[in-house]
Amino acid sequence: SSHELYPAVSYGIDNVAHLGATSRRGYSPKISALNHSYQDVTDLITQSNVTLTSTLTVDGFPAMVAHDPNALDDPRFVQLNPTWKVVETRSRVAQAGSMNFRKELLKTAGQTIVKIVNAGGRVIAGTDAPIVPYGLSLHAELDSYVRYGLSPFQALQAATWIPAQALGIDQDLGTLETGKLADMIIVEGNPLRNIQDARKVRQVIKNGEVFDLDYLLNMN
């Protein structure tokens, strides 16, 4: 896996990480300094068959959560993060209104992801946590995919089947099938209609054992 794009994709890498974040040379090879992402980026990713872990949340987490500030009141975020992280995250989100450049960067990156998926490329939902908060940042990533043009089904695939396939563990994980590990969540609502329903986890099933959300939040 690499932050690079070309010529890295010519030498057998499996995954390209980030769109807007930098390469080791100090700039992004996928989005220009003037906030453009060109057709060669889409072509290099799709034709080389690498997976792209886009990590939109690296640049755009505050802007994305600003669309749904109540997300920061979620007890999972408040209880499972240290107090300083909760305070810092809320402060960053409160300043998101002045982040016009970041918003444009996020929009460009989101549109590029849609082009890649529509051209047959494979995108993996990743976040680069703990730079951004665990858990909540993944849902913000999925929300952004849908906001910029993917269907909820495509967004959910980016967090389940596609990463399992890329990691070579799709025989055990990634889809609900007979013989696979019984690792899944039960949510309220229908994420295929509203991607934000994926956050409404009520039960977690780990290797066939069922845990209620309240139990998990109150574990010592």
Side-chain angles (χ1 to χ4, degrees), residues 65-75 77-78 90 93 136 196 199:
V65 179
H67 287 281
D68 183 18
N70 292 332
L72 298 183
D73 296 324
D74 190 304
F77 173 66
V78 175
R90 285 175 171 164
V93 170
L136 181 59
Q196 292 190 357
R199 300 182 197 173

Side-chain angles (χ1 to χ4, degrees), residues 46-63:
T46 56
Q47 294 179 24
S48 64
N49 201 36
V50 300
T51 53
L52 168 66
T53 306
S54 54
T55 65
L56 296 189
T57 52
V58 172
D59 289 300
F61 177 77

Side-chain angles (χ1 to χ4, degrees), residues 6 11 36 45 63 67 69 71 83 87 110 128 188 198 217 220:
Y6 182 83
Y11 289 90
H36 295 290
I45 292 172
H67 287 281
T83 301
V87 172
D128 221 20
E188 180 181 334
L217 285 174
N220 294 323

Side-chain angles (χ1 to χ4, degrees), residues 50-129:
V50 300
T51 53
L52 168 66
T53 306
S54 54
T55 65
L56 296 189
T57 52
V58 172
D59 289 300
F61 177 77
M64 285 187 282
V65 179
H67 287 281
D68 183 18
N70 292 332
L72 298 183
D73 296 324
D74 190 304
R76 292 167 296 181
F77 173 66
V78 175
Q79 292 180 224
L80 301 179
N81 283 281
T83 301
W84 68 265
K85 187 65 175 180
V86 174
V87 172
E88 177 194 66
T89 301
R90 285 175 171 164
S91 177
R92 290 177 60 204
V93 170
Q95 298 171 23
S98 61
M99 299 175 61
N100 291 329
F101 174 77
R102 290 296 186 188
K103 289 179 180 178
E104 286 302 312
L105 181 64
L106 181 62
K107 180 179 179 181
T108 299
Q111 292 170 340
T112 300
I113 287 170
V114 172
K115 290 178 183 177
I116 289 169
V117 172
N118 288 342
R122 296 181 299 160
V123 171
I124 293 173
T127 66
D128 221 20

